[in-house]
Amino acid sequence: MNLDYLRYFVRLAETRHYTKAAEQLCITQPSLSHAIRLLEAELGVPLFEKTGRNTELTRFGAEFLDCARRTLATLDQGVASLRRSAQGEGLIRLGFLRVLGTDYVPRLAARFLAANPDKNIRFTFHTDRTQGLLDGLLNQNYDLVMCSKPAPELHLTAVPVTKQDLVLIVPKGHPLSSARSVDLAEALPYPQVYFAKGSGLREVVDGLFAAAGGTPRIACETEEDQVIAGLVAQGFGIAVVPYMDLLLKLDLAILQISAPPYKREFFLVHNDRVFLPPAARDFRQFVLDSGRQQRKIPE
């Protein structure tokens, strides 16, 4: 069905006058009459009838008018929504590691909204492990994710945006607990509470111990750094974890890692093969322009 003809029908139904309707539609009266005849032929029923000098809706026309108005209103809303999206408004679906949700991501999102006060921009925030975030990105559940560096074979675009300190945590009273810093080679003899496979930190910690010259003895594994901290506090082993304020509340000793040298970076990741909505594109550029590549997550 021709949408222009549908709009012509609604305007004529509202004015009940061919000449007035044609003037408002900026078309000729014969063009309007032709469009209405084609619409009636398509529907198989008359929509208008003459009553003296006036044009009135038939009962079929009155029934069709409600449907036509709803259809055009829905279409107009959809067009308006897409146009707003094209202008940088709309929803940004953001996924990130939980550690980034305490300060880094909320601060960025708040600053971005403050920088765009005239735009209707909304966020959804989702947390997960790196693998879950990357799976969600590939399944188009997220527009952008912030996580550890994705594997090259995923063919995702990843840019480092911030970094975080790693520390060694041990229970109070542990042989290493009196040290202020430690070479990870000194931690090799002790059982470890370790990040499970699939965690973004698993490869990082594996690489650190490999650089330290050995393979750790894994006592148990889990995905969450907060759970690891709790297990270490209860004597299940020692662990390399990101620094977080929670560590100060547990019965732990926190040791700086003096060697081997390391750098844990977080990446802003998107999929070049999927259209990035303008609002998400603008937020991505905002993050990249924010100069946070050299800043650590506050401790």
Side-chain angles (χ1 to χ4, degrees):
M1 181 172 289
N2 190 305
L3 288 175
D4 285 336
Y5 292 176
L6 202 60
R7 294 189 189 277
Y8 296 170
F9 162 73
V10 172
R11 183 57 56 90
L12 181 58
E14 292 171 346
T15 62
R16 309 294 175 94
H17 196 283
Y18 271 88
T19 301
K20 290 181 180 178
E23 290 176 351
Q24 293 176 12
L25 291 166
C26 299
I27 61 174
T28 65
Q29 183 174 330
S31 295
L32 176 59
S33 299
H34 179 69
I36 296 301
R37 286 196 300 271
L38 290 178
L39 188 58
E40 289 176 329
E42 182 176 353
L43 294 172
V45 293
L47 299 174
F48 296 96
E49 58 188 358
K50 282 282 189 179
T51 56
R53 293 184 177 181
N54 296 323
T55 300
E56 299 292 338
L57 286 167
T58 66
R59 68 183 182 89
F60 304 111
E63 177 183 345
F64 187 58
L65 179 59
D66 288 338
C67 177
R69 281 173 168 162
R70 289 195 302 270
T71 299
L72 291 173
T74 299
L75 178 64
D76 289 342
Q77 289 171 2
V79 170
S81 176
L82 291 180
R83 285 176 175 167
R84 289 194 298 270
S85 295
Q87 295 168 357
E89 298 191 3
L91 183 66
I92 301 172
R93 303 171 302 163
L94 184 61
F96 50 91
L97 296 173
R98 184 174 298 172
V99 69
L100 298 174
T102 302
D103 179 78
Y104 181 73
V105 168
R107 178 156 30 91
L108 276 176
R111 290 179 61 240
F112 180 69
L113 293 176
N116 295 276
D118 298 327
K119 292 183 178 180
N120 180 20
I121 299 171
R122 294 165 290 117
F123 282 91
T124 57
F125 301 105
H126 311 270
T127 60
D128 203 341
R129 294 183 300 151
T130 289
Q131 190 57 56
L133 293 170
L134 295 176
D135 289 343
L137 183 65
L138 290 169
N139 290 329
Q140 301 186 37
N141 297 325
Y142 309 131
D143 300 309
L144 300 164
V145 298
M146 295 181 180
C147 58
S148 298
K149 189 174 184 179
E153 57 266 25
L154 295 179
H155 303 293
L156 297 171
T157 299
V159 181
V161 290
T162 191
K163 58 185 179 180
Q164 184 186 47
D165 284 332
L166 296 179
V167 294
L168 181 72
I169 55 174
V170 302
K172 289 288 182 66
H174 187 274
L176 296 177
S177 61
S178 59
R180 292 179 59 87
S181 64
V182 65
D183 185 318
L184 276 189
E186 301 175 59
L188 285 171
Y190 303 102
Q192 306 273 331
V193 182
Y194 221 67
F195 284 97
K197 292 181 178 179
S199 166
L201 269 175
R202 175 67 179 243
E203 291 185 4
V204 175
V205 178
D206 279 345
L208 284 175
F209 278 109
T215 301
R217 293 195 292 124
I218 299 176
C220 55
E221 299 180 2
T222 187
E223 297 86 0
E224 295 288 344
D225 48 15
Q226 295 179 353
V227 176
I228 289 177
L231 291 170
V232 172
Q234 294 301 316
F236 283 81
I238 66 175
V240 175
V241 296
Y243 179 85
M244 48 191 154
D245 290 340
L246 171 68
L247 301 179
L248 300 174
K249 301 176 183 179
L250 298 176
D251 197 22
L252 296 169
I254 306 170
L255 288 68
Q256 298 296 318
I257 299 174
S258 59
Y262 70 93
K263 178 173 64 174
R264 199 227 173 160
E265 293 183 307
F266 297 108
F267 291 77
L268 180 60
V269 187
H270 78 282
N271 188 351
D272 273 332
R273 293 163 291 180
V274 176
F275 176 73
L276 191 62
R281 179 199 62 209
D282 292 345
F283 179 67
R284 178 180 183 272
Q285 192 60 49
F286 179 83
V287 175
L288 298 181
D289 290 343
S290 67
R292 295 183 183 276
Q293 288 88 337
Q294 304 303 317
R295 297 184 59 181
K296 297 179 182 178
I297 299 171
E299 300 179 359

